[in-house]
Amino acid sequence: MTETPPAPAPEVFAERRRRLLATLGADAAAFFPAAPAAVRSNDVEYPYRQDSDLLYLTGFAEPESAALFLPGSPEGEFHLFVRPRDPERETWTGRRAGLEGARERFRADVAHDIADLEPTVAKLAADRERFFAAVGRDPTADARTLRWLHQWRQARPRQGRGPAVLADPAGIVHEMRLYKDATEIDLMRASAAIARAAHGEALRRARPGMREFEIEALLDGAFRRHGASAPAYPSIVAAGANATILHYVDNAARLDAGDLLLIDAGAELSGYASDVTRTFPIGLRYSAPQRALYEIVLAAQKAAIAAVRPGATFDDPHRVALEILVAGLIDLGLVGGSVADAIEHGAYRPFYMHRTSHWLGLDVHDVGSYRSGDGARLLEPGMVLTIEPGLYVAADNGDADERFRGIGIRIEDDVLVTADGHEVLTAGIPKEVDEVE
Ligand code: GLY
Ligand code: MN
Ligand code: MN
């Protein structure tokens, strides 16, 4: 089992809240509800996963909860709404922190029963000008927010005040989440180390004749044994032409000698995702056409990683990768014309239809803007992004040379921007042709 760092200390969450409160300003209230539970079937729910913003600001992982922030309020700046202790219910559904735990362990200034949420927020935020709450994600939450706005609108002529502006907290909290603090970087390194162990095991144990789900089980088992709570997203285990389906999750086919196996799998540790892809031959060595495509993707991936440094833009790694991928496609005769023309007209798109990077953190496709003004955002220390170029030749692509049809390759690592360049968090997971073979 990998040594994993502990979950962030209460002081870490307190510091994040201090920054949020300072940024909000004294005329604002900010509201962060828990993620709703999701029904899997009938009366069975999916494993619960807290909303990432609420988790980031409070560490509170229970369902049916919410946080309200009131900068400068004499009634308390941090209000946490939770399920009260209830021994009978807890026997069925698990332990609760309760109101006392919310105050003591989670350092709420005031703890409330979640049953009182609606009237309490209506009252506590009634003297504010701006109300920060995410809308457009959950219709139930949206309806509640609209009811609050309706009440405040009705009261405003007589009270002379009340929130009249609804604002999205993403601009504040998602910007904070984009720059990982030391605690988060430790957890992301540890999440990456778990992914390294899991991918290593899959690479060693994959054999012709196995099924994709056996590899999935190996990965999931390794995640859990090393202390991760779950896969960070449904693991993709795609043999042969299944690898040309980007979000393939059937994971039921047989592994045939001579095919490639694409594994895109990452762990979730204290909420933090790793996101790693490797593509290796099943049993044998890369065939000549597999190797030709693989070496192009690997060269593109390494060059894109090398382009990650402070001052580069978010688009630079993609641009660098795309040029190498397209030059390679032209060399192999899969795309005609010049690199510049193929990029301008998108002739490569049948073979490379996704972007090279996304932010990574509490969410696999993490929050934070990719743009700054009219351009791509500059990379800065503390940001974490994936570098994941690929090439995919659909099995039924009649225009492509037959030897390449049904080959899908992606190589993905997680990269932290540092003061003087980058750190590959997922380094050490084999990807060189010699290492893999
Ligand atoms: N595993 C999802 C992604 O690579 O973006
Ligand atoms: Mn991935
Ligand atoms: Mn990814």
Side-chain angles (χ1 to χ4, degrees), residues 233 236 247 264 275 277 358 364-365 388 410 412:
Y233 51 90
I236 298 168
H247 288 170
D264 183 346
D275 181 7
T277 309
H358 54 80
V364 173
H365 297 157
E388 51 177 305
R410 177 163 66 256
E412 174 172 33

Side-chain angles (χ1 to χ4, degrees), residues 14-148:
E15 173 57 26
R16 292 174 190 166
R17 290 191 295 270
R18 270 195 287 280
R19 288 175 53 208
L20 168 68
L21 287 160
T23 312
L24 282 171
D27 66 337
F31 179 70
F32 297 90
V39 172
R40 184 174 182 279
S41 77
N42 194 16
D43 58 351
V44 175
E45 292 176 351
Y46 284 102
Y48 186 71
R49 169 55 157 76
Q50 185 56 282
D51 173 80
S52 295
D53 286 343
L54 186 59
L55 198 59
Y56 177 79
L57 292 167
T58 68
F60 196 76
E62 291 181 29
E64 296 179 63
S65 58
L68 178 71
F69 296 98
L70 299 167
S73 170
E75 291 173 279
E77 293 188 303
F78 171 30
H79 295 251
L80 196 53
F81 296 80
V82 304
R83 301 172 304 179
R85 296 293 314 271
D86 180 338
E88 204 234 307
R89 293 305 310 153
E90 289 178 53
T91 303
W92 287 87
T93 57
R95 296 190 179 87
R96 301 176 173 185
L99 274 67
E100 199 177 296
R103 281 188 301 268
E104 285 172 8
R105 283 169 41 214
F106 296 91
R107 301 201 183 178
D109 296 327
V110 186
H112 306 268
D113 185 337
I114 187 71
D116 302 327
L117 177 71
E118 220 170 301
T120 308
V121 171
K123 193 155 68 68
L124 285 170
D127 63 349
R128 304 275 150 164
E129 297 289 330
R130 294 173 299 145
F131 188 67
F132 285 82
V135 290
R137 287 196 311 193
D138 169 19
T140 307
D142 290 354
R144 184 176 56 206
T145 300
L146 286 178
R147 286 194 295 275
W148 282 326

Side-chain angles (χ1 to χ4, degrees), residues 147-287:
R147 286 194 295 275
W148 282 326
L149 288 168
H150 175 77
Q151 285 183 54
W152 294 324
R153 161 190 277 275
Q154 297 285 69
R156 208 176 305 123
R158 267 182 263 283
Q159 308 293 333
R161 55 195 178 168
V165 176
L166 176 65
D168 190 343
I172 301 174
V173 176
H174 294 180
E175 279 299 299
M176 289 170 63
R177 282 176 53 191
L178 181 53
Y179 299 85
K180 274 66 182 175
D181 59 37
T183 313
E184 295 181 289
I185 290 169
D186 281 349
L187 286 167
M188 293 193 73
R189 278 198 194 104
S191 181
I194 295 172
R196 182 178 312 127
H199 277 265
E201 210 171 307
L203 176 62
R204 281 192 304 277
R205 295 187 44 190
R207 295 277 182 281
M210 290 172 83
R211 299 290 199 105
E212 292 165 339
F213 53 68
E214 294 180 66
I215 305 296
E216 182 185 8
L218 282 178
L219 295 161
D220 290 356
F223 291 155
R224 292 296 274 146
R225 270 188 284 109
H226 290 279
S229 52
Y233 51 90
S235 301
I236 298 168
V237 181
N242 295 335
T244 62
I245 301 164
L246 295 182
H247 288 170
Y248 175 80
V249 289
D250 293 349
N251 296 357
R254 192 177 306 279
L255 275 51
D256 290 328
D259 277 350
L260 294 180
L261 182 64
L262 182 153
I263 298 177
D264 183 346
E268 182 172 291
L269 179 69
S270 286
Y272 287 87
S274 43
D275 181 7
V276 176
T277 309
R278 291 292 183 267
T279 311
F280 57 84
I282 298 163
L284 299 163
R285 303 160 82 80
Y286 292 95
S287 70

